[in-house]
Amino acid sequence: MPNFSIVMAYMDGNNSFRRRNLFAVIDRCLELMPDTEIVIAEQGESSQSEKLSSYNPRLKRIQVDEGNRFHKTKLLNEAIKNTTSDVIVMVDADSYLNEAAAKSINDGVLLLRQGGIGIIYPYDGVDYLSEAQTRTLLGGGTINSKFSFHGVHIHRQTGLCNMYLRSTWETVGGFDEEFYEWGAEDDTFMYKIKRKVGNMCRTPGYVYHLYHPQVDTAAYKNSSVYMTNRKLCACIRRMSDEDFVAYLDKRVSIGELVDKYNKQNRLDVRLRWPITPSSLLTIDTTIYDIDYGGGVTITKILDAVMSEDGAAYIPTFVHEIFDAIPDLSPGQRKEIDDYLENARKLAELGNEI
């Protein structure tokens, strides 16, 4: 029996970049993690299906017939059903791991089996590569990426690669198949685990996101598919304890709860707040649960960030959000500076413990 099982979701789409990336990621996993099996759930049948079916004895291809819309959550559920290990490692078909990430995965198996941790992200850095950089990396070269995201930025990254016990996947009812395409399905899975099983843990490692042509991200994030996904995610975050139990027991679907909470105006997924006379601040409330009672304030927003990501992330959030607003009042700037100072002290105290 393998020590752990790697699962991937794949839809070909007649895209040569995705094919190249898929086999590069497969080869990397086979090379760095010899004590594993790989289960790939492919949506439909493609010119690569036969190759995948006979590519390596440690690789198993599962075909899922599921129309033309990419259904990643269903693919992952079907892949996990066909694994033979108690530990599941999800790797996106365009996520190329370095040696440190592979070591974190191997070490993470023991951490998960010891209990107390719900989900592990075996990386603390990501590079989103250009086409030229991807060719360089896959050709054996080194990367010095200007598209790099390091350190605390990774607090918001819940995809690419993660690992958990198969029993955890079963406990939270797997991935919600009401999600389509991409966006918020990874966040939702993580929130369910944190709420029912145990906290997340991030360990050292690095992921290179391999280049492939992208959809118009700005347009997609305003599409009905993406906004539906965000509302499904927000529903998990704001579900009452009673509804959460009923949802896990499959007595009510997440879609039914979205309808219920929509009628109660509990699923606004974007907070748009006129922070100054000329500046509008937009916050994704599926990430941060902000208490609207008594009005929105800078402190309320920072309290929500502190609760979700901890004190160490506050300086980065302030730099990315508030420092970009040119016309904050002196009082607002003092409120932010005071909060920053307190967050730094809390972060230092946390490092000492």
Side-chain angles (χ1 to χ4, degrees), residues 230-242:
R230 300 285 351 160
K231 286 200 170 186
L232 292 170
C233 182
C235 185
I236 292 290
R237 295 295 303 270
R238 297 161 198 178
M239 219 177 266
S240 68
D241 291 340
E242 180 181 358

Side-chain angles (χ1 to χ4, degrees), residues 31-45:
E31 171 195 0
L32 293 179
M33 294 168 281
D35 192 18
T36 185
E37 66 178 359
I38 301 175
V39 180
I40 295 179
E42 181 181 13
Q43 185 164 332
E45 193 169 13

Side-chain angles (χ1 to χ4, degrees), residues 28-237:
R28 186 64 166 171
C29 290
L30 290 171
E31 171 195 0
L32 293 179
M33 294 168 281
D35 192 18
T36 185
E37 66 178 359
I38 301 175
V39 180
I40 295 179
E42 181 181 13
Q43 185 164 332
E45 193 169 13
S46 70
S47 60
Q48 303 305 301
S49 299
E50 184 176 349
K51 181 179 179 180
L52 284 170
S53 297
S54 58
Y55 191 70
N56 188 283
R58 292 196 283 132
L59 173 63
K60 181 191 299 184
R61 172 188 173 272
I62 305 298
Q63 182 172 324
V64 180
D65 296 317
E66 184 59 21
N68 296 321
R69 296 173 66 193
F70 185 45
H71 203 170
K72 180 181 178 182
T73 52
K74 182 170 184 177
L75 295 174
L76 288 175
N77 283 336
E78 292 301 316
I80 292 169
K81 290 175 187 176
N82 284 274
T83 58
T84 61
S85 172
D86 64 325
V87 175
I88 306 299
V89 178
M90 190 283 296
V91 180
D92 278 350
D94 53 13
S95 297
Y96 193 88
L97 310 178
N98 76 346
E99 291 84 353
K103 183 179 186 305
S104 280
I105 289 173
N106 282 291
D107 294 343
V109 172
L110 179 59
L111 285 175
L112 288 172
R113 287 175 178 159
Q114 287 175 339
I117 297 175
I119 186 168
I120 295 174
Y121 297 91
Y123 62 93
D124 54 7
V126 180
D127 272 352
Y128 284 80
L129 302 185
S130 67
E131 183 177 356
Q133 289 169 326
T134 297
R135 287 198 302 267
T136 297
L137 178 69
L138 298 185
T142 57
I143 297 297
N144 181 18
S145 175
K146 66 180 180 180
F147 303 107
S148 178
F149 295 89
H150 297 282
V152 290
H153 292 269
I154 306 305
H155 279 268
R156 294 270 55 85
Q157 194 83 47
T158 59
L160 303 177
C161 179
N162 51 54
M163 57 190 300
Y164 38 86
L165 294 176
R166 180 176 174 137
S167 60
T168 292
W169 170 79
E170 293 169 346
T171 296
V172 301
F175 288 89
D176 292 281
E177 295 183 10
E178 294 187 54
F179 286 82
Y180 281 87
E181 303 293 347
W182 60 270
E185 79 286 345
D186 295 315
D187 305 81
T188 301
F189 186 63
M190 181 266 289
Y191 292 142
K192 289 200 298 183
I193 290 174
K194 285 177 68 176
R195 187 164 181 175
K196 181 67 177 178
V197 181
N199 282 329
M200 62 166 281
C201 172
R202 195 171 293 281
T203 52
Y206 213 82
V207 176
Y208 295 100
H209 180 276
L210 304 178
Y211 171 83
H212 55 79
Q214 300 278 354
V215 299
D216 184 340
T217 302
Y220 178 70
K221 287 189 173 181
N222 287 310
S223 70
S224 60
V225 174
Y226 184 81
M227 291 306 294
T228 295
N229 286 355
R230 300 285 351 160
K231 286 200 170 186
L232 292 170
C233 182
C235 185
I236 292 290
R237 295 295 303 270

